[in-house]
DNA sequence: ATTGTTAATTAGGTTGGGCTAATTTAGTAT
DNA sequence: ATACTAAATTAGCCCAACCTAATTAACAAT
């Protein structure tokens, strides 16, 4: 069982399959093509190779799944990415919206030594600045509280923001300006056709549905 | 004048031409092939492309030179590399012999923002842990004292080590064990057929010629 | 059952950066 | 001048990761 070292593309395919699988029940070629910004035939081709390497399983015309080993690699890349994001924010003064882009490139080239060094330095954190869970060194996902998108609540209730499900820089800037960031507690007031009304400190905002779906929260006990 | 963003290979070619030019009068295809660990026809091919981009000049069967813009790119990569080496050593506890390898991969993917962040954090250093000069943000090489290889001295004299001209990990480990590292002062005793005899603190060592040529020193006033 | 629509695949091509084997050139030694 | 040697170049291939255009498969609607 050797490790033939994957290409950056291959790592990105595995990572993206993993991330899509967290949300959708099934991962289509098209989903992948969209996320990876390539055309569908490229996906078909690459998936064939990953299949031959036993990193994914593919039922043609159905969808694609990670194998155990494929999943481990995805988690390894995800760990790099999320540790890097937190490191850039904490130690190099990057702002919330800048970290993703830089981590996207660095994730493929840092060594295990680098990974361990920054994890140590930061005290083995479990979540990155977007609230995304950081896989452990053993490549297990840490326990995460049960989160629900902000637009799925029904009645007035206090909630704590757990995770922001986008990397769009303008959305992130908007959210940070509104203090809608992981760790902050807000009050869910009501959900009407115009959007979700929330109270942050003493201000009450309307959060459009398109934005609210990206804000995952847990209820405050 | 756009910046079409070079490939990692292309950046390495330019960087290597620059480094060879510091030492040799002329840069041959073969020198490049050796350093870049590729076969000579690959070099001929790549040099043609770099020539077409006006980054190098090439007189066939003579040698290759950087143009002004080619040199700027080489210095940019070199700045990334050397800042990274120092950063890894200072902030992530890398040892002397580990930094080169990691920097070799990171140099191509960090952003200008990352470069500026670590340069700031370290107070805009002028030399990396091997004593290699770090180009400034404006891509000028800093003034460096006049250095001579340890094996070129003639008479007993005190010298300060300025720069170590290798990235070989075993040699670097040897040297650090012997305290033969940039900044340290030693005494040059004599050069005989067996090698160079030096005094470090209270110990007197014989340094083989092959090693001594890599240790560049300035004379102590 | 037939048709239409959309997703997926196949066929075939491009580009970048390598390679080996064969050839040419420059420079040296006889 | 001639012959040899080593460096450089050319010719021709390979492989990864893309692409477009054409084809096929799945499935819903009539
Ligand atoms: Mn990536
Ligand atoms: Mn994140
Ligand atoms: Mn490099
Ligand atoms: Mn160095």
């Amino acid at each position: 069982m050797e490790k033939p070292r994957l290409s950056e593309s291959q790592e990105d395919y595995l990572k993206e399959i993993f991330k899509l699988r967290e949300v959708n029940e099934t991962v289509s070629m098209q989903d992948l093509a969209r996320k990876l910004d390539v055309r569908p035939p490229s996906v078909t081709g690459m998936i064939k190779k990953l299949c031959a390497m036993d990193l994914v399983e593919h039922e043609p015309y159905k969808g694609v799944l990670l194998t155990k080993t494929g999943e481990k690699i995805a988690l390894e890349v995800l760990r790099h990415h999320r540790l890097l994001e937190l490191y850039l924010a904490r130690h190099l003064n990057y702002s919330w919206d800048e970290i993703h882009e830089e981590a996207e490139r660095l994730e493929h080239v840092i060594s295990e030594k680098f990974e361990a060094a920054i994890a140590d330095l930061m005290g083995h954190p479990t979540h990155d600045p977007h609230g995304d869970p950081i896989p452990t060194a053993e490549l297990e996902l840490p326990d995460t509280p049960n989160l629900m998108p902000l637009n799925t609540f029904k009645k007035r209730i206090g909630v704590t923001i757990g995770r922001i499900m986008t990397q769009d820089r303008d959305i992130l800037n908007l959210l940070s300006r509104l203090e809608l960031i992981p760790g902050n507690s807000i009050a869910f007031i009501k959900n009407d056709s115009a959007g979700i009304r929330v109270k942050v400190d003493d201000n009450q905002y309307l959060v459009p549905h398109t934005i609210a779906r990206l804000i995952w929260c847990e209820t405050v006990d």
Side-chain angles (χ1 to χ4, degrees), chain A:
Chain A
M1 237 158 218
E2 358 70 40
K3 277 184 150 198
R5 197 64 182 99
L6 299 186
S7 69
E8 302 195 1
S9 271
Q10 292 172 331
E11 289 184 350
D12 278 339
Y13 274 82
L14 297 177
K15 186 185 66 170
E16 220 52 66
I17 294 167
F18 184 92
K19 291 205 294 178
L20 283 166
R21 200 51 214 310
E22 282 187 315
V23 179
N24 308 343
E25 201 46 53
T26 166
V27 178
S28 69
M29 301 291 113
Q30 229 167 55
D31 291 341
L32 276 172
R34 241 191 311 276
K35 289 285 188 182
L36 294 165
D37 195 27
V38 296
R39 290 331 112 214
S42 307
V43 176
T44 303
M46 180 61 90
I47 290 299
K48 252 185 202 156
K49 287 183 210 164
L50 295 174
C51 233
M53 293 188 255
D54 272 317
L55 299 175
V56 306
E57 274 166 39
H58 181 213
E59 192 97 35
Y61 293 96
K62 298 283 204 177
V64 62
L65 291 181
L66 293 176
T67 64
K68 262 272 139 39
T69 60
E71 181 169 290
K72 284 298 174 200
I73 295 169
L75 285 164
E76 179 74 39
V77 179
L78 224 40
R79 176 170 164 80
H80 285 185
H81 184 98
R82 291 174 181 171
L83 281 173
L84 281 162
E85 284 192 346
L86 193 65
Y87 185 75
L88 294 170
R90 278 207 200 155
H91 291 266
L92 296 178
N93 276 121
Y94 275 63
S95 64
W96 209 28
D97 62 311
E98 298 173 318
I99 57 183
H100 179 75
E101 235 191 340
E102 188 94 48
E104 194 63 41
R105 280 171 286 113
L106 288 165
E107 63 186 0
H108 306 290
V109 307
I110 65 171
S111 65
E112 295 306 288
K113 161 127 193 151
F114 191 108
E115 170 197 317
I118 62 177
D120 267 20
L121 204 66
M122 297 191 293
H124 302 278
T126 59
H127 293 80
D128 79 7
H130 308 103
D132 300 320
I134 302 175
T136 66
E138 293 73 38
L139 304 180
E140 312 285 350
L141 276 182
D143 299 341
T144 310
N146 218 29
L147 301 178
M148 293 167 54
L150 186 55
N151 59 321
T152 59
F153 290 94
K154 295 298 173 216
K155 53 181 207 302
R156 198 178 240 276
I157 191 175
V159 301
T160 299
I161 298 174
R163 193 172 176 187
I164 303 297
M165 302 299 278
T166 183
Q167 303 295 346
D168 181 292
R169 295 184 57 171
D170 295 329
I171 296 177
L172 291 175
N173 277 330
L174 173 72
L175 292 175
S176 89
R177 183 63 72 94
L178 298 174
E179 300 283 3
L180 295 170
I181 59 180
N184 279 7
S185 290
I186 63 177
F188 170 88
I189 304 300
K190 73 185 274 249
N191 181 341
D192 61 38
S193 63
I196 286 79
R197 290 163 201 285
V198 298
K199 201 149 131 202
V200 182
D201 297 325
D202 286 333
N203 309 310
Q204 187 159 327
Y205 304 135
L206 178 103
V207 180
H209 288 104
T210 48
I211 303 281
R213 348 179 323 267
L214 307 173
I215 305 174
W216 289 21
C217 306
E218 65 179 312
T219 61
V220 173
D221 308 293

